[in-house]
Amino acid sequence: MGLSHILTSLLPATVHTDGGPERYMINAVFTRRPSGGEILALNGPEARAWLDRAGYPQVTTRVSDRRLEIANTSLEELQAGLGSVLGRLLAEISASDAARLETLARNLDGAEQYEAKRWEEVRARAGAIQFAESVESAARPIATPLGLTHIVAGLLPATLATDSGPGSYAVAAEFTRPPTRTELAMISGAAARARLDAAGYNATKLAVRDRLLEIRDTSLDELESGLARVLGMVLAEITEAASAADALMVAEAEKLAAAERERERYVAQAVAAVRFDAVIGQTADGPTGVDAWEDEGGGFDGRR
C-alpha cells in the first residue's frame, strides 16, 4: 500500500498566494483500498508515534475511503521530506498488517486442525462404547432383545473435550429396534430407576425420543467406566419382563375372548330353544288363560 498522487482539486483555493495558509489539509490517493487493520493503524497511535519520532508532531493522518487526509502540513513540507516519511510509514503499516493476517491464518488453520482432531477422538471414544448385555440375562422369551447399537456422536455437546466443556451432559444412543409400549413404560418406570440407583448412578435419567435413548446427566467417561454395561443389562431385563407381561396380557385377553365366545354360544342356544306356539282356544278344563283374559275385557282379537 502506498500513495499515488495528490488531489489538487481539494487543495485550498488560496494555496501559493500572498494571503494563503501556511498549513492546510492535503488529500493523497492510496494505491489500493486499505484493509481494516491498516485503517486502524493510520488513524490511531501507531501513525501518531511514527510522525512524532520523525519530527512532525503537528501533522495528523486520517483515512477517508481511498484517500489519506494529511492535516496541518503543506506542499513544501511534503517535498522537504514528509512525503518520504509517509511512504515509509505506509510500507511499515502494510507489512505489519500482512504479517498479522498471515499469523491469524496460521492460527485459524491450527485451530481447525485441532478441532478436527478433537472431534475425531470424541467420535472414536463414543464408537468404542459397547452396551453389552449381561450373560446372566440371556435366558428370556423368544422376543427380539431390546438393546443399543451406538452413540450418536453428532448429538454430543460441541464443546466436549475442551477446557470449557460440560462435566455432565446428555448422550443419545440408538435402539436396536423400536421399543414396545410396555418396554417404554418400563424404561421410564420405577424398576429401571431402582436398577440405576442400585448401581450407583443416581443422577442419571433415561428418556426415549423416537428411536433414541437419551441418557441424561452423564458423560462418556461414566459410560466407559461401567454405565454402558449397566444399561445393556437393564434393557435386557426390561425385554424379559415386558415379554412376560405382554404374554400374560395376551393370555388374559384370550381367556376373556373364550369366555365371551362361550357366553354368546349359550345365549344363542337359549334363544333358539324358546317357543311361542301355545294354541288359543278351549281346553278340557275350560277356557285357556288367553280366553279368560279376553273375557275380562283384554280386547284380544284372536290373532297371533
Side-chain angles (χ1 to χ4, degrees):
M1 181 180 65
L3 297 171
S4 61
H5 62 281
I6 291 172
L7 288 174
T8 56
S9 61
L10 296 181
L11 290 171
T14 56
V15 166
H16 202 58
T17 66
D18 291 339
E22 292 184 5
R23 293 186 172 276
Y24 42 88
M25 181 181 290
I26 296 176
N27 286 268
V29 179
F30 288 113
T31 55
R32 62 166 172 79
R33 189 178 298 276
S35 68
E38 291 168 337
I39 292 173
L40 288 174
L42 285 169
N43 290 346
E46 186 175 343
R48 177 72 271 150
W50 183 280
L51 291 171
D52 288 344
R53 288 195 301 269
Y56 301 97
Q58 76 285 355
V59 177
T60 61
T61 59
R62 191 179 77 86
V63 176
S64 177
D65 196 18
R66 289 197 59 166
R67 293 178 287 111
L68 178 66
E69 295 177 348
I70 313 164
N72 295 321
T73 187
S74 64
L75 293 175
E76 292 76 18
E77 193 169 49
L78 284 169
Q79 290 173 346
L82 177 58
S84 297
V85 169
L86 290 174
R88 292 196 299 273
L89 169 63
L90 291 177
E92 176 71 19
I93 286 176
S94 181
S96 176
D97 191 61
R100 179 185 67 83
L101 292 176
E102 184 179 354
T103 300
L104 179 61
R106 283 199 303 269
N107 290 339
L108 288 175
D109 289 341
E112 289 178 358
Q113 292 175 4
Y114 169 78
E115 282 297 301
K117 186 172 184 291
R118 179 177 68 86
W119 267 110
E120 183 180 350
E121 292 175 352
V122 168
R123 284 193 295 268
R125 285 188 64 192
I129 294 174
Q130 299 294 321
F131 298 92
E133 298 179 18
S134 170
V135 176
E136 298 173 358
S137 61
R140 61 169 62 89
I142 301 177
T144 304
L146 178 66
L148 298 170
T149 60
H150 65 280
I151 290 172
V152 182
L155 297 179
L156 291 171
T159 56
L160 202 61
T162 66
D163 293 338
S164 59
S168 61
Y169 40 89
V171 177
E174 187 170 342
F175 285 114
T176 53
R177 60 166 173 80
T180 65
R181 290 189 178 185
T182 306
E183 289 168 339
L184 286 173
M186 290 183 174
I187 288 172
S188 58
R193 177 72 270 156
R195 189 73 169 81
L196 290 173
D197 290 344
Y201 299 103
N202 306 83
T204 304
K205 303 177 186 66
L206 303 180
V208 178
R209 187 181 67 180
D210 297 329
R211 286 197 60 160
L212 299 177
L213 176 66
E214 284 190 351
I215 312 158
R216 298 172 180 172
D217 296 322
T218 187
S219 64
L220 293 180
D221 291 336
E222 195 170 50
L223 286 163
E224 288 172 334
S225 64
L227 176 57
R229 181 173 178 80
V230 170
L231 288 172
M233 295 168 63
V234 168
L235 292 179
E237 292 167 2
I238 284 176
T239 300
E240 187 171 2
S243 297
D246 289 341
L248 287 174
M249 289 176 62
V250 169
E252 184 64 23
E254 290 178 350
K255 181 179 178 181
L256 291 174
E260 179 62 17
R261 288 193 299 270
E262 178 61 24
R263 186 191 68 80
E264 291 176 352
R265 185 187 64 79
Y266 168 78
V267 170
Q269 290 177 349
V271 168
V274 174
R275 294 290 182 268
F276 299 97
D277 53 1
V279 178
I280 299 175
Q282 291 294 116
T283 66
D285 299 327
T288 63
V290 173
D291 289 335
W293 176 70
E294 182 180 3
D295 291 341
E296 294 173 3
F300 185 69
D301 60 4
R303 292 180 295 178
R304 292 186 179 179

